[in-house]
Amino acid sequence: MKQLCLFFFFLTLSLQAQFQVNGIVKEAVTNKPLPFATITTNNGLNSISDVDGKFSIITVIPFTSFDISYIGFTKTRIVLEKNKNYYVVILSQKTAYLNEVVVPSENPALAIIRKAIKNKDNNNPQKKLSSFEFKSYNKLIVTANPDSIDGRIDSVFVQKSFGKQFSKIDSSDYNFKEVIRQQHLFQTEKVSKYQFANARLKETILGTKMSGFKQPVYEIIAFNLQSFSVYDSSYELFETKYNSPIATDALKDYNYKLLDSLIIDGRNTYMIYFKNKKKTRASGLEGVLYIDQNNFAVAKAVMRIKGVLDISGIHNFKYIPDEKLWFPTDKTFKIVKGKNDDDIKILGGTIQFDGDVEEDFKERKKAASDFTYLLSQTNNFEIKYNIPMQIKKSVIYIEIKEDAINKPELFWDTYRKDSLDSRSQKTYLALDSISIKKRIESRIRFGRKIIDGYLPIGKFDLNLRKLFSYNNYEGFRLGIGGVTNEKFSRKFRIEGYTAYGTKDDSFKYNLGIATRVGKFSNSWIGVSYTDDVREIASSVFPIEKKAFKIYDPRPINISTFYNYVSWKTFIETKIIPKTESYWELSHAVIEPKFNYTYILGEKTYTNYVMTTAMVSLHWNPFSDYMQTPSGRIEIEKRFPKFTFQYTQSLPKVMQNDFEFSKLDFKTEYEKKYLNGQKTSLLFEAGYALGDVPLTHLYNTSPNNITKETIIERITFAGKNSFETMFFNEFFSNEYAYFQFKHGFSRVTLFKKVKPSLVLVSRMAWGNLQKREQHIGLDYKTLNKGYFESGIELNQIYKGLGLGGFYRYGPNQLSKIQDNIAVKISFVFNLGL
């Protein structure tokens, strides 16, 4: 959903103020740019050049000259010339370096960084202070500098065999320039209160405004543009994490260079330039750390990523003498358009990028959108520290107050650092009008629903999962279903579905009602009735929210189902911190739709009654959550994640036939790498104790059909299933399953052929007690273990992929070809 909201920004250029001087700093001998040179104006303004040596000095107070300094080079003074605002500054290297910094090391920067790392805990406010609190004002705009846009109205010609022919008048740049003169493209404001105590940090949003929206898009508010602290082991820019330049192991990832010394807040600091050692196109994080010469704390930090997008984050600090501590006072985040060889598609639209220009090619003409940029500025104030503090609902990382979207203008005037200029004022008015006219809020709501698998139709959300499917028992399953939405009621819901199987010639249906009993915890209590079929021995976690797929390929080849007619009452809630839970009391009549008899003592069962109590918990202890007036959102998904489920039959309750207990467990871990690779681990286990029929045991998700040749067995791959295991081959009442996947970044073979290679290994162990009780199916147990490995080539062409898997170990089959499975995969991109 966050990606759905990114259509508001992206792209490039510098901000224009009343007085601005631009330029570049270069080395005299090589003519190469000098990154992060120190720039000091004669009126005391300090700045630095960027990673490409470019600089821009912006101020409302004019100056007449500025100095450029760089350690090892001769300082140069530039006197401003009339009608000139761009300067190329050439610095000459000194014959002997100034010995400004006396550090006994071959590379003085390394010695400084080592001391900064060693003293991190003493300088980190979240380590040194027992508590702190402050308020902050943030303003984010997506805009452009109109003076940089060519606003001419051009004639567009097309090449014909006999020459160029007039096609149309192109006024897009002109229109864009006229719009951007009057207003920004997008704008948000936010006032927050930050609290830190007992090693927990919480942001409470007191007020928020978003141009074009009566109710803000909360996913944009939760978007993590830059890290709160520069002392964490990883630093985050635009929701991508990088190893911090002062992490404990930072020296293995970064090169460091001492640039200069500078006075900040009356204290001497070292300017340390850092750059990732990897020589790749997207080389990772680089920037400048200003390190206090006395306590080796960070007094200022400049972080930058340059690639497809040029992203920078700046952190400023203020020194607190009483605590001997640098405390954050403000931060700036900016995105401008970078460079890339290919145009890329983002959210269904194409964005053009300039790549390396070859001799026979010309750079494309810049469009108006090339000059668009995003700028976010945050200022902290009313700072308090080491005070008694009790943080309410501290498990919530971000909480948005109920009245935050309805604050009067007096509230905003109180917290704004500067009053809104005319462009900002017109942005709210204009975008609110455009939003109403183009129904933007309705379209975003529609996108949210589609991603979750629903099509909103008035007060009802149609469940797209229920429309069509296929399996070997029902044949084509055609149906319709859905749930009432917030337009119907925020306190009550009615849901259900009906379906018809063309092969079993039978109708299935479900109907349920529920009412909300807790707003903060999003707690619902309800009842439902179901008459449907389910795959035998399948593990089902009701608490899991499965991602929406147009199709679910694995059930295509399943032929053994059981019918269940059930009444249930349930409670679903998020009242337990970082946990979703589902509590259920169920009564079901079970009828296997295959040849099966369960023997229990002197009794035999071909159908039976189960009355059970069940609790299912999904726990994400490392994730961060945002509480909004409309519900709770997981804004930072971290691993591992855990799912627990316990089922207990209720003897002598409503004619229950069996007495048993089931315990199920699942954990997932995922690690994404900066180079685009990803490692995924999955572990599942289950244990059923007591009198449990085959329908409710475990089959460890087989996905291979019994056919003579490999070609006949080619089917669609499942997500976490054993591709070489045949259906109904193994059953267990206790099992353990482990899966390893490692996906490499996509490789371009041809323009439209960009496969991603995934290595997969799976293994399982299981056992079945009281085998003599189950009559009808011929099966084996997993007490010797089961192993398979394979390779997937996903998204080879337009979402299609191919995989091959091999079965080995104790349960390997005698014929080599029977151990091989070839699978087709398909990734459907919604373009959102």
Side-chain angles (χ1 to χ4, degrees), residues 169 175 223 245 287 333 416 504 580:
I169 297 294
N175 293 334
F223 210 85
F333 175 88
R416 284 174 182 141
D504 69 339
E580 298 179 53

Side-chain angles (χ1 to χ4, degrees), residues 359-425:
E359 292 181 4
D360 298 334
F361 294 88
K362 296 180 179 179
E363 289 189 17
R364 66 172 176 82
K365 181 183 177 182
K366 286 186 179 292
S369 63
D370 287 285
F371 300 101
T372 309
Y373 64 91
L374 179 148
L375 178 66
S376 172
Q377 294 178 303
T378 303
N379 297 292
N380 303 334
F381 49 91
E382 296 183 16
I383 300 171
K384 304 174 184 177
Y385 45 88
N386 290 335
I387 59 174
M389 186 182 302
Q390 185 68 36
I391 303 177
K392 297 180 180 179
K393 303 172 185 175
S394 59
V395 294
I396 302 297
Y397 185 67
I398 301 176
E399 181 181 1
I400 302 178
K401 289 294 188 182
E402 289 279 351
D403 62 345
I405 62 176
N406 299 315
K407 292 296 185 182
E409 197 62 26
L410 180 62
F411 170 88
W412 294 105
D413 291 338
T414 302
Y415 292 108
R416 284 174 182 141
K417 187 175 181 180
D418 300 305
S419 59
L420 291 183
D421 58 21
S422 60
R423 288 176 76 193
S424 293
Q425 292 173 7

Side-chain angles (χ1 to χ4, degrees), residues 225-416:
L225 299 178
Q226 62 191 124
S227 287
F228 175 84
S229 173
V230 297
Y231 289 101
D232 294 339
S233 59
S234 61
Y235 181 83
E236 191 164 357
L237 266 181
F238 205 44
E239 296 220 323
T240 301
K241 291 183 178 180
Y242 304 87
N243 198 29
S244 168
I246 53 172
T248 304
D249 59 347
L251 271 63
K252 71 177 178 60
D253 290 330
Y254 293 96
N255 290 319
Y256 300 88
K257 181 180 180 182
L258 178 60
L259 298 182
D260 209 337
S261 59
L262 189 70
I263 297 177
I264 299 179
D265 209 8
R267 295 178 65 85
N268 293 322
T269 65
Y270 302 122
M271 286 180 63
I272 305 293
Y273 169 60
F274 64 90
K275 183 178 176 63
N276 197 285
K277 290 180 178 179
K278 295 180 181 178
K279 304 293 184 181
T280 60
R281 165 172 261 170
S283 56
L285 200 64
E286 63 180 303
V288 172
L289 297 175
Y290 295 75
I291 306 296
D292 189 304
Q293 295 186 16
N294 182 258
N295 61 7
F296 295 93
V298 177
K300 182 176 180 177
V302 179
M303 311 287 197
R304 188 173 180 187
I305 306 295
K306 189 170 183 183
V308 175
L309 296 174
D310 192 347
I311 307 171
S312 60
I314 300 175
H315 298 255
N316 288 310
F317 299 79
K318 180 181 180 180
Y319 188 71
I320 305 174
D322 293 345
E323 296 294 330
K324 298 180 180 179
L325 181 74
W326 289 88
F327 197 86
T329 56
D330 60 86
K331 59 183 180 179
T332 303
F333 175 88
K334 189 175 183 180
I335 299 179
V336 300
K337 195 178 196 182
K339 295 200 173 192
N340 190 46
D341 281 341
D342 301 313
D343 295 347
I344 63 172
K345 288 187 176 180
I346 298 177
L347 308 171
T350 300
I351 297 178
Q352 292 178 311
F353 290 88
D354 292 324
D356 297 330
V357 181
E358 300 180 13
E359 292 181 4
D360 298 334
F361 294 88
K362 296 180 179 179
E363 289 189 17
R364 66 172 176 82
K365 181 183 177 182
K366 286 186 179 292
S369 63
D370 287 285
F371 300 101
T372 309
Y373 64 91
L374 179 148
L375 178 66
S376 172
Q377 294 178 303
T378 303
N379 297 292
N380 303 334
F381 49 91
E382 296 183 16
I383 300 171
K384 304 174 184 177
Y385 45 88
N386 290 335
I387 59 174
M389 186 182 302
Q390 185 68 36
I391 303 177
K392 297 180 180 179
K393 303 172 185 175
S394 59
V395 294
I396 302 297
Y397 185 67
I398 301 176
E399 181 181 1
I400 302 178
K401 289 294 188 182
E402 289 279 351
D403 62 345
I405 62 176
N406 299 315
K407 292 296 185 182
E409 197 62 26
L410 180 62
F411 170 88
W412 294 105
D413 291 338
T414 302
Y415 292 108
R416 284 174 182 141

